[in-house]
């Protein structure tokens, strides 16, 4: 059987030049960020994932956020066209790594799409219309995946970098959400939604592994809500990467 593979990408020594949309620029301690990233990889490995790290690059400050470069499904990997121009050169090593494992398709100009905007719930792909993903990006993705039986649902996102900054899966039918950037819950009517604690608006980005959720150690009150709902969590500190507006999902591409 194919092992569960998690691709990660090494931290760029130039991460302090990362893109920022909503956060104020604060110095990132590169060594500390690297340690936190290693701890993240170690947790994935402990949970049974074969972690394959692609080398980081000084030319691409945001390359550690590998999630944005591809949408990986069982049948297909879609290489994105990141909304931030400075990130488009991150793709070639990812394409090379995924090539032997999946059929490859690409998002073409003028479309833009970041993987952080694509939330997969079984055969539904919820795609954020965000600062990074435009309507053409949603349409191109739809054309690629509909023949494979997926339904694409566009979700406008306001005041949040990506859809998954505001909502992530914490179970097959359960979502963790910061409701404000999404506004209407209509698209998610079939799911049980656990709202983040109002004092922790950035806590919605959690990473669901088989039966456990990796969760930000800086959001204990939301974590309590998850525990009360019977969800097993493992806390992780990615505070240095959070200064680059990165979360937990964005540091890996999981081939489930
Ligand atoms: C960016 O603005 O593109 C990076 N500084 C952060 C990307 C985070 N990606 C994600 O949440 N999927």
């Amino acid at each position: 059987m194919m092992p569960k593979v998690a691709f990660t990408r090494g931290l760029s020594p130039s991460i302090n030049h990362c893109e920022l949309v909503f956060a104020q620029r604060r110095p990132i301690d590169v060594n500390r960020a690297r340690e936190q990233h290693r701890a993240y990889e170690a947790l994935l490995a402990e949970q049974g994932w074969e972690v394959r790290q692609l080398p980081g690059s000084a030319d691409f400050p945001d390359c550690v956020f590998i999630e944005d470069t591809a949408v990986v499904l069982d049948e297909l990997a879609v290489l994105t066209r990141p909304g931030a121009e400075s990130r488009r050169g991150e793709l070639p090593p990812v394409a090379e790594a995924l090539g032997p494992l999946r059929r490859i398709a690409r998002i073409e100009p003028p479309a833009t799409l970041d993987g952080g905007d694509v939330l997969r719930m079984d055969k539904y792909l919820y795609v954020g219309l965000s600062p990074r993903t435009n309507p053409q990006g949603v349409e191109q993705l739809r054309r690629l995946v509909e023949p494979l039986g997926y339904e694409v649902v566009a979700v406008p996102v306001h005041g949040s970098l990506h859809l998954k900054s505001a909502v992530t899966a914490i179970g097959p039918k359960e979502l963790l959400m910061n409701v404000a950037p999404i506004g209407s819950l209509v698209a998610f009517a079939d799911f049980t939604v656990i709202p983040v604690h109002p004092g922790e608006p950035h806590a919605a980005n959690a990473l669901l592994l088989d039966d456990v959720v990796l969760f930000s150690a800086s959001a204990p009150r939301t974590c309590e809500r998850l525990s009360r709902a019977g969800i097993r969590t493992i806390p992780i500190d990615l505070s240095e990467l959070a200064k680059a507006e990165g979360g937990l999902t964005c540091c890996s591409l999981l081939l489930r």
Side-chain angles (χ1 to χ4, degrees):
M1 202 174 85
M2 168 87 186
K4 297 186 297 183
V5 174
F7 284 105
T8 63
R9 189 142 186 211
L11 191 95
S12 172
S14 58
I15 188 162
N16 274 289
H17 298 287
C18 67
E19 295 282 342
L20 290 178
V21 177
F22 295 106
Q24 293 271 2
R25 197 168 291 280
R26 286 181 292 156
I28 297 171
D29 179 330
V30 175
N31 287 329
R32 191 146 178 263
R34 208 162 262 142
E35 275 166 30
Q36 292 178 349
H37 186 245
R38 268 193 219 113
Y40 172 89
E41 291 176 325
L43 273 180
L44 286 176
E46 263 170 40
Q47 294 301 314
W49 294 80
E50 183 186 308
V51 178
R52 299 189 193 168
Q53 191 192 92
L54 310 183
S57 162
D59 294 335
F60 299 107
D62 281 305
C63 66
V64 71
F65 304 123
I66 190 170
E67 166 181 61
D68 292 318
T69 59
V71 177
V72 184
L73 304 172
D74 293 349
E75 309 84 349
L76 176 75
V78 180
L79 293 173
T80 64
R81 183 165 180 271
E85 209 176 328
S86 70
R87 301 201 55 191
R88 295 193 186 140
E90 293 175 23
L91 267 68
V94 179
E96 203 177 306
L98 292 174
L101 302 173
R102 291 289 187 279
R103 177 163 73 81
I104 299 282
R106 286 175 190 269
I107 299 294
E108 305 287 353
T112 62
L113 178 80
D114 275 17
D117 274 316
V118 183
L119 168 66
R120 177 180 165 196
M121 300 300 283
D122 194 24
K123 286 294 208 179
Y124 288 86
L125 300 184
Y126 295 91
V127 186
L129 283 167
S130 74
R132 295 293 171 77
T133 296
N134 64 16
Q136 293 98 318
V138 178
E139 272 321 301
Q140 284 192 21
L141 184 66
R142 176 175 285 131
R143 260 182 272 131
L144 290 167
V145 303
E146 265 186 2
L148 303 171
Y150 293 91
E151 189 166 326
V152 168
V153 182
V155 182
V157 177
H158 303 284
S160 177
L161 177 58
H162 289 126
L163 177 66
K164 279 191 284 189
S165 325
V167 53
T168 51
I170 48 172
K173 284 276 175 195
E174 292 81 28
L175 297 170
L176 177 64
M177 191 183 290
N178 175 21
V179 179
I182 313 276
S184 161
L185 293 186
V186 170
F188 300 108
D190 288 345
F191 300 100
T192 303
V193 173
I194 298 185
V196 295
H197 188 281
E200 297 172 345
H202 300 298
N205 188 267
L207 179 61
L208 174 65
L209 304 173
D210 301 312
D211 57 352
V212 70
V213 170
L214 296 199
F215 191 70
S216 167
S218 61
R221 289 171 294 178
T222 302
C223 192
E224 222 174 272
R225 291 185 172 192
L226 298 183
S227 303
R228 260 188 270 127
I231 292 163
R232 198 159 71 85
T233 56
I234 302 182
I236 173 147
D237 178 11
L238 288 184
S239 48
E240 290 303 309
L241 296 176
K243 294 179 187 169
E245 292 188 66
L248 280 92
T249 60
C250 60
C251 293
S252 53
L253 278 174
L254 302 180
L255 276 61
R256 295 181 188 265

